[in-house]
Amino acid sequence: MKSLLEQLRARIIQEIESAKTQDELKNIEIKYLGRNGELTIMLKGLKDLSAEEKPVIGKFANEVKIDIDKTFKGRAEVLEEENLAKACSNDDFDTTMPGTKFKMGHLHPLFQVQRDVERIFGQMGFAVIDGLEMDSEYYNFESLNIPETHPARDMQDTFFIKDKYHDFHKRMVMRTHTSPLQVRSMEKYGAPLRIIVPGRVFRYEATDASHDATFNQVEGMLIDKNISLAHLKGVMTEFLTRLFGKPVKVRFRPGYFPFVEPGIELDLSCLLCDAKGCRVCKHTGWMEFMGAGMTHPNVLRAGGIDPNIYQGWAFGFGLTRLTMMKYNIDDIRLLMSGNLKFLNQF
Ligand code: DAH
């Protein structure tokens, strides 16, 4: 049996080494090592050997198998390399042709704009702050100079969490704006302060093309000594000009928000008609952009900052609205629809 094995080994190895293609190699494997292959059958015969022969021949058979496996692997590698070399030198094979494209996702348009906002304010020295989407009535209203009985509470239809949470902080609410982060940040970091707070906010509202119950805002706040609205005008003009990549002007109009005094509304020159007047800006040359103002002394005090030493301003704009302006989107509901036909355009 040993000599039979030896002969077979020699034959198999010789055949493997003269195999010219991977297919030939595969056939040799089936012929000898397959379920009914010659070597397989011979190895099955080992069990009929006598007790003395079995360990000796068994060991030898094992060595034969290892030899053959090694030769197989070696030849397979050689053939593979030859194949590759052939393919590369073959005139029909264009190595410069682009390969299969991977499907790549991309950022949602809202977050593309959010990233730009964060980058530009970051360049101007503002820290980016993250906040809670559910906060207390105290931070969402009271600390911002909006007492319980104040009619300004009606300006923002609120989702309340049912159970009372705390004597002082009252109920929890889904924040109606990013403004709760004003007092929270003053408490945490003190003055001077320069922050922006991008985040989701919630209003109990019926949805239509320009309203959604969930949308995104960006709050901004700057507190330091000798601060005035002139700084706000400078910062916002620079921010919008960098964001849109062309000169943008801003103007102030009086506005009312309980947490600022004086309060203003900030408009920007119409992006579509360069302030000449068109349908989108209703022929005024201006587009409404955000609320802002000098931080009310009560709000500074709530944040533990002395209004006799520090002043500041704050603003809040809709990131959702900004995104719609930037990409000319006319229905807010598309943004959170998860509709890929819509999203893949950005
Ligand atoms: N929180 C206001 C809103 O959601 C926007 C706002 C107005 C924020 C004036 C401010 C501000 O910081 O000073 O309608």
mmCIF file of all heavy atoms in Angstrom, residues 19 23 36 38 57 80-81 94 139 175 180 184 256 293 314 319:
data_model
loop_
_atom_site.group_PDB
_atom_site.id
_atom_site.type_symbol
_atom_site.label_atom_id
_atom_site.label_comp_id
_atom_site.label_asym_id
_atom_site.label_seq_id
_atom_site.Cartn_x
_atom_site.Cartn_y
_atom_site.Cartn_z
ATOM 1 N N ALA A 19 -0.404 21.519 -14.687
ATOM 2 C CA ALA A 19 -1.701 22.169 -14.974
ATOM 3 C C ALA A 19 -1.458 23.575 -15.497
ATOM 4 O O ALA A 19 -0.671 24.326 -14.926
ATOM 5 C CB ALA A 19 -2.560 22.207 -13.713
ATOM 6 N N ASP A 23 -8.881 25.978 -14.247
ATOM 7 C CA ASP A 23 -9.887 24.935 -14.485
ATOM 8 C C ASP A 23 -9.257 23.555 -14.449
ATOM 9 O O ASP A 23 -9.798 22.620 -13.848
ATOM 10 C CB ASP A 23 -10.551 25.133 -15.861
ATOM 11 C CG ASP A 23 -11.644 26.182 -15.775
ATOM 12 O OD1 ASP A 23 -11.993 26.550 -14.627
ATOM 13 O OD2 ASP A 23 -12.116 26.635 -16.830
ATOM 14 N N ASN A 36 -15.281 10.777 -4.813
ATOM 15 C CA ASN A 36 -14.901 9.490 -5.395
ATOM 16 C C ASN A 36 -13.503 9.532 -6.010
ATOM 17 O O ASN A 36 -13.170 8.743 -6.871
ATOM 18 C CB ASN A 36 -15.929 9.079 -6.460
ATOM 19 C CG ASN A 36 -17.278 8.815 -5.824
ATOM 20 O OD1 ASN A 36 -17.347 8.120 -4.807
ATOM 21 N ND2 ASN A 36 -18.323 9.407 -6.387
ATOM 22 N N GLU A 38 -9.452 9.246 -6.530
ATOM 23 C CA GLU A 38 -8.580 8.072 -6.334
ATOM 24 C C GLU A 38 -7.932 8.063 -4.960
ATOM 25 O O GLU A 38 -7.903 7.051 -4.258
ATOM 26 C CB GLU A 38 -7.475 8.089 -7.399
ATOM 27 C CG GLU A 38 -7.597 6.950 -8.406
ATOM 28 C CD GLU A 38 -6.535 7.067 -9.488
ATOM 29 O OE1 GLU A 38 -5.428 6.544 -9.269
ATOM 30 O OE2 GLU A 38 -6.835 7.706 -10.527
ATOM 31 N N ILE A 57 1.358 3.148 8.040
ATOM 32 C CA ILE A 57 0.841 3.596 6.751
ATOM 33 C C ILE A 57 -0.009 4.853 6.936
ATOM 34 O O ILE A 57 0.009 5.783 6.117
ATOM 35 C CB ILE A 57 0.005 2.483 6.071
ATOM 36 C CG1 ILE A 57 0.809 1.190 5.976
ATOM 37 C CG2 ILE A 57 -0.508 2.944 4.711
ATOM 38 C CD1 ILE A 57 1.645 1.022 4.744
ATOM 39 N N GLU A 80 -2.753 32.038 -10.481
ATOM 40 C CA GLU A 80 -3.464 33.289 -10.193
ATOM 41 C C GLU A 80 -2.611 34.490 -10.622
ATOM 42 O O GLU A 80 -3.070 35.414 -11.285
ATOM 43 C CB GLU A 80 -3.749 33.331 -8.692
ATOM 44 C CG GLU A 80 -4.206 34.672 -8.167
ATOM 45 C CD GLU A 80 -5.695 34.688 -7.927
ATOM 46 O OE1 GLU A 80 -6.209 33.637 -7.488
ATOM 47 O OE2 GLU A 80 -6.308 35.724 -8.177
ATOM 48 N N GLU A 81 -1.333 34.438 -10.250
ATOM 49 C CA GLU A 81 -0.431 35.541 -10.617
ATOM 50 C C GLU A 81 -0.271 35.650 -12.124
ATOM 51 O O GLU A 81 -0.285 36.740 -12.687
ATOM 52 C CB GLU A 81 0.938 35.341 -9.966
ATOM 53 C CG GLU A 81 1.036 36.081 -8.652
ATOM 54 C CD GLU A 81 2.296 35.704 -7.878
ATOM 55 O OE1 GLU A 81 3.334 35.507 -8.526
ATOM 56 O OE2 GLU A 81 2.192 35.604 -6.644
ATOM 57 N N ASP A 94 -8.620 47.358 -19.941
ATOM 58 C CA ASP A 94 -8.311 48.755 -19.703
ATOM 59 C C ASP A 94 -8.182 49.012 -18.202
ATOM 60 O O ASP A 94 -9.169 49.079 -17.493
ATOM 61 C CB ASP A 94 -9.433 49.613 -20.303
ATOM 62 C CG ASP A 94 -9.176 51.097 -20.096
ATOM 63 O OD1 ASP A 94 -8.132 51.444 -19.502
ATOM 64 O OD2 ASP A 94 -10.014 51.897 -20.544
ATOM 65 N N TYR A 139 -36.533 77.017 32.361
ATOM 66 C CA TYR A 139 -35.531 77.415 31.361
ATOM 67 C C TYR A 139 -36.171 77.856 30.051
ATOM 68 O O TYR A 139 -35.672 78.755 29.378
ATOM 69 C CB TYR A 139 -34.543 76.270 31.105
ATOM 70 C CG TYR A 139 -33.510 76.142 32.204
ATOM 71 C CD1 TYR A 139 -33.473 75.042 33.049
ATOM 72 C CD2 TYR A 139 -32.579 77.160 32.408
ATOM 73 C CE1 TYR A 139 -32.536 74.940 34.054
ATOM 74 C CE2 TYR A 139 -31.638 77.068 33.426
ATOM 75 C CZ TYR A 139 -31.616 75.959 34.241
ATOM 76 O OH TYR A 139 -30.687 75.877 35.236
ATOM 77 N N ARG A 175 -38.872 71.728 24.281
ATOM 78 C CA ARG A 175 -38.480 73.135 24.141
ATOM 79 C C ARG A 175 -39.082 73.743 22.873
ATOM 80 O O ARG A 175 -39.086 73.107 21.824
ATOM 81 C CB ARG A 175 -36.962 73.286 24.164
ATOM 82 C CG ARG A 175 -36.283 72.664 22.973
ATOM 83 C CD ARG A 175 -34.789 72.960 22.987
ATOM 84 N NE ARG A 175 -34.133 72.294 21.874
ATOM 85 C CZ ARG A 175 -32.828 72.149 21.765
ATOM 86 N NH1 ARG A 175 -32.015 72.597 22.717
ATOM 87 N NH2 ARG A 175 -32.307 71.550 20.717
ATOM 88 N N PRO A 180 -33.633 78.355 25.754
ATOM 89 C CA PRO A 180 -33.299 77.888 27.114
ATOM 90 C C PRO A 180 -31.782 77.749 27.335
ATOM 91 O O PRO A 180 -31.304 77.807 28.465
ATOM 92 C CB PRO A 180 -33.965 76.515 27.218
ATOM 93 C CG PRO A 180 -34.983 76.453 26.140
ATOM 94 C CD PRO A 180 -34.646 77.493 25.126
ATOM 95 N N ARG A 184 -28.895 78.555 30.610
ATOM 96 C CA ARG A 184 -28.097 77.362 30.964
ATOM 97 C C ARG A 184 -26.596 77.603 30.691
ATOM 98 O O ARG A 184 -25.753 77.213 31.491
ATOM 99 C CB ARG A 184 -28.570 76.148 30.164
ATOM 100 C CG ARG A 184 -29.809 75.478 30.757
ATOM 101 C CD ARG A 184 -30.064 74.154 30.061
ATOM 102 N NE ARG A 184 -31.165 73.413 30.644
ATOM 103 C CZ ARG A 184 -31.058 72.637 31.724
ATOM 104 N NH1 ARG A 184 -29.900 72.515 32.346
ATOM 105 N NH2 ARG A 184 -32.102 71.989 32.180
ATOM 106 N N TYR A 256 -40.551 92.496 19.049
ATOM 107 C CA TYR A 256 -40.730 92.255 20.484
ATOM 108 C C TYR A 256 -40.448 90.803 20.862
ATOM 109 O O TYR A 256 -41.023 89.869 20.299
ATOM 110 C CB TYR A 256 -42.149 92.617 20.932
ATOM 111 C CG TYR A 256 -42.367 92.211 22.365
ATOM 112 C CD1 TYR A 256 -41.739 92.916 23.396
ATOM 113 C CD2 TYR A 256 -43.127 91.081 22.694
ATOM 114 C CE1 TYR A 256 -41.879 92.513 24.712
ATOM 115 C CE2 TYR A 256 -43.265 90.683 24.016
ATOM 116 C CZ TYR A 256 -42.634 91.394 25.014
ATOM 117 O OH TYR A 256 -42.745 90.989 26.305
ATOM 118 N N GLY A 293 -31.806 90.884 19.758
ATOM 119 C CA GLY A 293 -31.899 92.068 20.607
ATOM 120 C C GLY A 293 -30.837 92.049 21.689
ATOM 121 O O GLY A 293 -30.059 91.089 21.805
ATOM 122 N N ALA A 314 -28.502 88.502 21.820
ATOM 123 C CA ALA A 314 -28.835 87.124 21.472
ATOM 124 C C ALA A 314 -29.648 87.155 20.192
ATOM 125 O O ALA A 314 -30.239 88.168 19.845
ATOM 126 C CB ALA A 314 -29.636 86.478 22.590
ATOM 127 N N LEU A 319 -32.987 77.294 11.291
ATOM 128 C CA LEU A 319 -32.052 76.605 10.394
ATOM 129 C C LEU A 319 -32.843 75.992 9.233
ATOM 130 O O LEU A 319 -32.375 75.936 8.091
ATOM 131 C CB LEU A 319 -31.303 75.506 11.161
ATOM 132 C CG LEU A 319 -30.240 74.766 10.362
ATOM 133 C CD1 LEU A 319 -29.049 75.660 10.100
ATOM 134 C CD2 LEU A 319 -29.790 73.498 11.088
#
